[in-house]
Amino acid sequence: MLLCIVGILIMGRVERVCEMAGYVFGIDVGGTTVKLGLFDLHGMVVDKWEIPTRTENNGEMILPDIANSIKVKMAEKSIVKEDVAGVGVGVPGPVDGYGIVHRAVNLGWNMFNLKENLTTLLDGMRVECGNDANVAALGEMWKGGGQGHKSLVAVTLGTGVGGGIIINGEIVTGATGAGGEIGHIHVEDNETEPCNCGNPGCLEQYASATGITRLANRALKASDKDSVLRSGEVSAKAVFDAVKAGDGLAIEVACAFGEYLGKGLGVIAGVVNPEIFVIGGGVSKAGEILFDYIKPPFERTVFHGCKDAKFALATLGNDAGIYGAARMVLN
Amino acid sequence: MLLCIVGILIMGRVERVCEMAGYVFGIDVGGTTVKLGLFDLHGMVVDKWEIPTRTENNGEMILPDIANSIKVKMAEKSIVKEDVAGVGVGVPGPVDGYGIVHRAVNLGWNMFNLKENLTTLLDGMRVECGNDANVAALGEMWKGGGQGHKSLVAVTLGTGVGGGIIINGEIVTGATGAGGEIGHIHVEDNETEPCNCGNPGCLEQYASATGITRLANRALKASDKDSVLRSGEVSAKAVFDAVKAGDGLAIEVACAFGEYLGKGLGVIAGVVNPEIFVIGGGVSKAGEILFDYIKPPFERTVFHGCKDAKFALATLGNDAGIYGAARMVLN
């Protein structure tokens, strides 16, 4: 009986919030710009805009700038505090379950309580915050490539490899805010160069845009095979363009990339057994062809009980962060 | 305000359950015996006993036997239905979030709704169920080596390698009930023999009791070094006894075991960032010396943000399952 009451109250939460407040802000704090979104409670974008990220003096103006921009927008749209269910914020660094940022190097931030600070700057408005990659995963689950699923691993193949894990609709924050840091799982014992994190052999060294470029340069050096990659700039985009054109050496590089990423995702599947992997970031612009290289090593090595995980491309692009940040408030 | 009410109701749940009902049953269904425990709501054992697991005819008598044994115990202790908060059950196979067993080979069970069936047999008493390794992890968190933690990975080094992952006090069941199947994460590309699951190169092939024996036999064959392992039976226990006696070849085997397990746990830490790893199963009887071999490769390869994970030995032994099963009801 008691549980029923709790259940009904929780189930009714979003609807009740709808009655009480009609908007939610989603904020994605990047090293250069802060993306801001104003959403209705169904996830429709009412407005979105950007402000510069002022990182000087340990980023002390970033939160005041955000608070100010929110207040200006509210005034512009004649939205009062009572109309706002809350403000969600994604930041590039570990954030624990209490809203404490442990460090955000790109913003100049050391450890502090973001949730409390921003709540104060916003005169008591509700604030939720999380790591940007985790928050983006929530965005893709809500309105992107992972729609309809509750257990999802989002993989962002950009300059680095980011990850976000959602289990039963909740972000896996981790004990020290480092849950889903899948770019730094160890996948190669014989690597001689260190990753940006300091360790040699991280997934990021082979599956990021930078990693694919590195694999391509190594392949070009190790073989004298003809390849379109020998003329022009070597990049992840160039590699997958060449793969589509049937370039043999580029296909070898794609296979090497796929071996690392496919086996890595197989391990992740064995740990959290997600319904779906959602692949985003710059590299994912290559499209579904990526799956031709990721899936075979995944299927070959993954535990049979976890084999049914789906693969999809992310669809929200750079907006995943503001969507997920907004969604955090509605959780 | 609404959230506060929900919070208070949830926080108060265990206390309210205490007022309403004084007992909970924890059941651990194994291939040979079913372990049963009667607990008070603080986790004190009131009684524990075993019945045989009758696996004939696709294990059709297992649930009726359990229901009957519970009813007999209740009569014996003069416990009425209203005194029982519920019955938790751990089974050796994947169980999804709806209480559906997907398969339990050792019991002869195919897919069916365990939760519904047992509830009916128990005249409507509340039933919760889960995979035995996951349930044992919950037991170790509640009353064992992981006490005081909310995010934990339990690793059982027995005949195979089992795993259970708890995030924020909740079992990670996974999309198809295969969450925490860490024995079957792929850790070796150059393995020629298949694991029991069919894939070659699973963690279980190197970190289980069987795996350690296999590593030892390989080492004995590959070298002509003197070793106490050359006389007597080669087993995981013999290996770690020899390690403690300073046997050079046994130490090499322990290092190989530690490399696989330490790096594997490093990857798992990068995915879910737990507070603590709790190591149990027969192999863990070797004691803290295991950590001397697991920790260095863990620390060398894990992402720095996940480095602080603690390591502890499991303390509940074969009772972890009944504790965890009981705990499920109080969640």
Side-chain angles (χ1 to χ4, degrees):
Chain A
M1 176 59 189
L2 183 63
L3 262 196
C4 284
I5 296 170
V6 174
I8 291 164
L9 287 173
I10 291 172
M11 296 287 286
R13 163 135 181 82
V14 172
E15 280 162 36
R16 297 288 294 270
V17 166
C18 286
E19 286 168 23
M20 296 187 297
Y23 301 98
V24 57
F25 286 93
I27 319 286
D28 184 15
V29 188
T32 315
T33 57
V34 179
K35 295 187 184 64
L36 302 97
L38 173 63
F39 296 83
D40 71 17
L41 298 182
H42 304 287
M44 295 291 290
V45 177
V46 177
D47 200 355
K48 60 177 187 171
W49 69 103
E50 293 183 5
I51 59 172
T53 309
R54 292 201 279 159
T55 54
E56 57 268 28
N57 298 323
N58 291 324
E60 65 178 15
M61 288 312 294
I62 297 174
L63 288 191
D65 285 350
I66 290 171
N68 185 52
S69 186
I70 287 174
K71 288 178 179 174
V72 168
K73 186 61 64 181
M74 286 169 66
E76 181 192 316
K77 302 270 183 199
S78 305
I79 296 171
V80 295
K81 216 173 96 183
E82 289 68 31
D83 291 336
V84 181
V87 176
V89 186
V91 300
V95 182
D96 68 23
Y98 302 98
I100 294 168
V101 175
H102 284 244
R103 206 175 53 162
V105 182
N106 295 342
L107 308 181
W109 285 354
N110 286 313
M111 193 165 169
F112 79 107
N113 194 318
L114 188 154
K115 188 179 163 109
E116 260 182 37
N117 274 266
L118 189 56
T119 301
T120 305
L121 288 167
L122 288 170
D123 311 320
M125 276 166 65
R126 180 170 167 219
V127 172
E128 297 295 335
C129 42
N131 168 268
D132 56 0
N134 292 341
V135 168
L138 197 61
E140 286 292 340
M141 184 193 76
W142 191 30
K143 296 289 174 184
Q147 265 187 85
H149 296 280
K150 285 173 68 186
S151 299
L152 164 157
V153 175
V155 183
T156 307
L157 307 174
T159 314
V161 171
I165 298 175
I166 313 284
I167 304 281
N168 290 330
E170 302 274 342
I171 291 172
V172 176
T173 303
T176 54
E181 280 286 2
I182 62 173
H184 301 289
I185 61 174
H186 182 77
V187 296
E188 177 59 81
D189 286 338
N190 300 313
E191 179 59 56
T192 50
E193 295 172 22
C195 176
N196 284 332
C197 77
N199 289 346
C202 291
L203 180 59
E204 178 161 305
Q205 289 184 282
Y206 314 97
S208 64
T210 327
I212 295 166
T213 308
R214 225 169 57 100
L215 285 174
N217 282 324
R218 282 185 178 179
L220 287 165
K221 223 181 243 175
S223 126
D224 52 8
K225 215 183 244 180
D226 213 27
S227 168
V228 295
L229 295 174
R230 294 197 187 276
S231 56
E233 197 195 352
V234 177
S235 67
K237 184 179 182 315
V239 167
F240 279 99
D241 285 347
V243 166
K244 288 170 190 169
D247 186 278
L249 195 90
I251 289 171
E252 282 175 29
V253 174
C255 284
F257 151 86
E259 276 288 313
Y260 284 113
L261 185 54
K263 288 191 291 191
L265 298 186
V267 169
I268 294 166
V271 179
V272 293
N273 184 208
E275 295 170 57
I276 188 167
F277 287 98
V278 179
I279 314 287
V283 173
S284 73
K285 289 184 185 154
E288 303 251 340
I289 195 171
L290 288 178
F291 301 149
D292 296 346
Y293 295 91
I294 300 170
K295 278 185 178 178
F298 173 83
E299 287 166 3
R300 197 181 73 234
T301 56
V302 72
F303 177 56
H304 60 78
C306 308
K307 214 168 211 154
D308 294 337
K310 295 182 178 68
F311 285 79
L313 293 170
T315 62
L316 298 178
N318 290 332
D319 286 346
I322 56 171
Y323 275 93
R327 183 67 184 85
M328 270 196 296
V329 175
L330 305 176
N331 250 3
Chain B
M1 175 60 191
L2 183 63
L3 261 196
C4 284
I5 295 170
V6 174
I8 290 164
L9 287 173
I10 291 172
M11 296 287 286
R13 163 137 180 83
V14 172
E15 280 161 35
R16 297 289 293 270
V17 167
C18 287
E19 285 168 24
M20 297 186 297
Y23 300 98
V24 56
F25 286 93
I27 319 286
D28 185 16
V29 188
T32 315
T33 57
V34 179
K35 295 187 184 66
L36 300 97
L38 173 63
F39 296 83
D40 71 16
L41 299 183
H42 304 288
M44 295 292 290
V45 178
V46 177
D47 200 355
K48 61 178 186 171
W49 69 103
E50 293 183 5
I51 58 173
T53 309
R54 292 201 279 160
T55 53
E56 56 269 27
N57 298 324
N58 292 324
E60 65 179 15
M61 288 312 293
I62 298 174
L63 288 191
D65 285 351
I66 290 172
N68 185 52
S69 188
I70 287 174
K71 287 177 180 174
V72 168
K73 185 61 65 180
M74 286 169 65
E76 181 192 318
K77 302 270 183 199
S78 305
I79 296 172
V80 295
K81 216 173 97 183
E82 290 66 34
D83 290 337
V84 180
V87 176
V89 186
V91 300
V95 183
D96 69 21
Y98 302 98
I100 295 167
V101 175
H102 283 245
R103 206 175 53 163
V105 183
N106 295 342
L107 307 182
W109 284 353
N110 286 314
M111 193 164 169
F112 79 107
N113 194 319
L114 188 155
K115 188 179 163 110
E116 260 181 37
N117 274 267
L118 189 56
T119 301
T120 305
L121 289 167
L122 288 170
D123 311 320
M125 276 166 65
R126 180 172 168 218
V127 171
E128 297 296 335
C129 43
N131 169 268
D132 55 0
N134 293 341
V135 168
L138 196 60
E140 286 292 342
M141 185 194 76
W142 192 31
K143 296 289 174 184
Q147 265 187 85
H149 296 280
K150 285 174 67 185
S151 299
L152 164 156
V153 175
V155 183
T156 307
L157 307 175
T159 314
V161 171
I165 299 175
I166 312 284
I167 304 281
N168 291 330
E170 302 273 344
I171 291 172
V172 176
T173 304
T176 53
E181 280 286 2
I182 62 173
H184 301 287
I185 61 174
H186 181 78
V187 296
E188 177 57 81
D189 285 338
N190 300 314
E191 179 60 55
T192 50
E193 295 172 22
C195 176
N196 284 332
C197 76
N199 290 344
C202 292
L203 180 59
E204 179 162 304
Q205 289 183 282
Y206 314 98
S208 63
T210 328
I212 295 166
T213 307
R214 225 169 57 101
L215 286 174
N217 282 324
R218 282 186 177 178
L220 287 165
K221 220 181 246 174
S223 125
D224 53 7
K225 216 183 242 180
D226 213 27
S227 168
V228 294
L229 295 175
R230 295 197 187 276
S231 56
E233 197 197 353
V234 177
S235 67
K237 185 179 181 314
V239 168
F240 279 98
D241 284 347
V243 166
K244 287 170 191 169
D247 186 277
L249 196 91
I251 289 171
E252 281 174 31
V253 174
C255 284
F257 152 85
E259 275 288 314
Y260 284 113
L261 185 55
K263 288 192 291 193
L265 298 186
V267 169
I268 294 165
V271 179
V272 293
N273 184 206
E275 294 170 59
I276 188 166
F277 287 98
V278 179
I279 315 288
V283 174
S284 73
K285 289 183 185 154
E288 303 250 342
I289 196 170
L290 288 178
F291 301 148
D292 296 346
Y293 294 91
I294 300 170
K295 278 185 179 177
F298 173 84
E299 287 167 3
R300 197 182 71 235
T301 56
V302 71
F303 177 56
H304 60 77
C306 307
K307 215 167 212 155
D308 293 337
K310 294 182 180 68
F311 285 79
L313 293 171
T315 62
L316 299 178
N318 290 333
D319 286 345
I322 56 171
Y323 275 93
R327 183 66 183 84
M328 270 196 296
V329 175
L330 304 177
N331 249 5

